[in-house]
Amino acid sequence: MPLLNVTLRSNLSGKTLITPIVSTANVAQLSVDLLISSLGLVRIAALDSKYFIPLVGCRENGEPGITTPFELYGKEGLDVVVLQQRSPTLKARKQEFINDLFDFVRESGIASVLILTGVDLTNRLDEQMLTPTYQLQPIASSLSSTPLHRLNDFPIPKYTSPVLQKPSAISDETQIPFIPGGGITRRMLSSLPKTWSIPLAALLRFALDGDNRADAYSLASIVVQVIGIDLGSVEWKQPESWSGLFGTPHDQSLYG
């Protein structure tokens, strides 16, 4: 498995993989931060980082070791694992990363994949203002009887591009619509092999750069329900790494 630079301590077979795409407002990464912190996930492995701009940092809660650009999280008893990507993909390695990620999914026995991404809010159409969250199911096969079957039950509309496309693209239902600010999301979905049979879907969130904690909480809440966790049982916990991320709170006592 090209993505792995260590031996996994956990069996991934039959699990759902959640992976964020570096995109508008980092809303996908922030949502994954919340999932990791609130569900009590632990790092299973640091994956190969050759595809990304180099990055290193401290780990959460003073844990020993360092944080790397690409890590896998999970815990015993939960049929979900989560990737966290903390650095953009290098331009020259985008397709290599996508191909290796697909190989990793197939060879690990992953049962389904849920992709999270942001979309530039300034491109939203009038009819897309009713909800900020949309979904894409690029594979023709139904999600029924799969770990992602709840996506068919929730009132999450299908994503269509807010940007004018060529007539041929509009009429071709197999073509992935343009996703402004979506990073490599469209490229990844368009690169799915014709023989791909693993259930896969994407959740897209319209957002603007700023304090995106509310967007992250909202998207993470949807993800939790999609993967079958009772929303009421989740005690949301903001990770320590968010401290000061969106500025420090004003001390109102200074102003009387």
Side-chain angles (χ1 to χ4, degrees):
M1 300 179 190
L3 278 181
L4 288 176
N5 54 17
V6 297
T7 301
L8 278 179
R9 295 172 294 174
S10 177
N11 181 13
L12 305 184
S13 180
K15 295 182 182 291
T16 294
L17 175 69
I18 299 172
T19 181
I21 302 295
V22 175
S23 51
T24 294
N26 292 318
V27 67
Q29 281 73 30
L30 294 172
S31 298
V32 166
D33 272 349
L34 275 176
L35 293 172
I36 292 171
S37 181
S38 303
L39 298 180
L41 307 184
V42 296
R43 188 171 73 176
I44 298 173
L47 305 183
D48 199 334
S49 300
K50 67 181 180 181
Y51 316 94
F52 314 111
I53 295 174
L55 173 147
V56 68
C58 299
R59 296 188 64 191
E60 289 278 357
N61 306 315
E63 295 180 23
I66 59 173
T67 292
T68 64
F70 202 44
E71 297 177 335
L72 183 68
Y73 290 81
K75 73 175 183 180
E76 291 296 327
L78 185 66
D79 288 332
V80 176
V81 288
V82 178
L83 284 170
Q84 179 60 297
Q85 181 182 339
R86 298 186 175 88
S87 180
T89 310
L90 292 165
K91 184 177 180 179
R93 288 189 176 270
K94 288 181 179 179
Q95 195 59 48
E96 179 187 5
F97 166 60
I98 291 170
N99 294 339
D100 286 351
L101 179 61
F102 289 161
D103 288 343
F104 168 72
V105 169
R106 285 186 291 201
E107 294 172 19
S108 298
I110 292 291
S112 60
V113 180
L114 183 61
I115 296 170
L116 309 181
T117 188
V119 189
D120 186 359
L121 184 67
T122 60
N123 287 279
R124 188 164 58 166
L125 300 174
D126 289 349
E127 56 266 30
Q128 292 174 320
M129 292 185 179
L130 297 176
T131 176
T133 307
Y134 290 78
Q135 63 168 304
L136 263 178
Q137 299 182 22
I139 302 175
S141 60
S142 171
L143 294 181
S144 300
S145 303
T146 76
L148 300 179
H149 69 90
R150 296 173 189 85
L151 274 175
N152 293 332
D153 303 327
F154 296 152
I156 304 175
K158 179 182 177 182
Y159 173 81
T160 56
S161 179
V163 178
L164 186 65
Q165 299 185 91
K166 296 179 180 179
S168 59
I170 297 174
S171 60
D172 184 2
E173 294 184 356
T174 64
Q175 186 162 334
I176 304 300
F178 181 61
I179 306 172
I184 65 171
T185 306
R186 185 169 186 255
R187 182 171 187 162
M188 180 175 290
L189 297 177
S190 300
S191 298
L192 283 169
K194 292 182 179 180
T195 57
W196 186 269
S197 60
I198 300 170
L200 182 147
L203 284 174
L204 304 93
R205 176 85 181 191
F206 279 101
L208 283 175
D209 282 305
D211 185 343
N212 297 103
R213 282 174 288 189
D215 293 308
Y217 276 105
S218 177
L219 184 56
S221 297
I222 294 172
V223 171
V224 161
Q225 295 174 81
V226 169
I227 61 180
I229 296 176
D230 179 14
L231 185 58
S233 68
V234 179
E235 184 177 345
W236 293 108
K237 180 182 177 184
Q238 186 169 297
E240 279 191 3
S241 58
W242 285 18
S243 178
L245 182 62
F246 301 102
T248 54
H250 292 294
D251 184 354
Q252 298 300 321
S253 64
L254 295 175
Y255 307 99

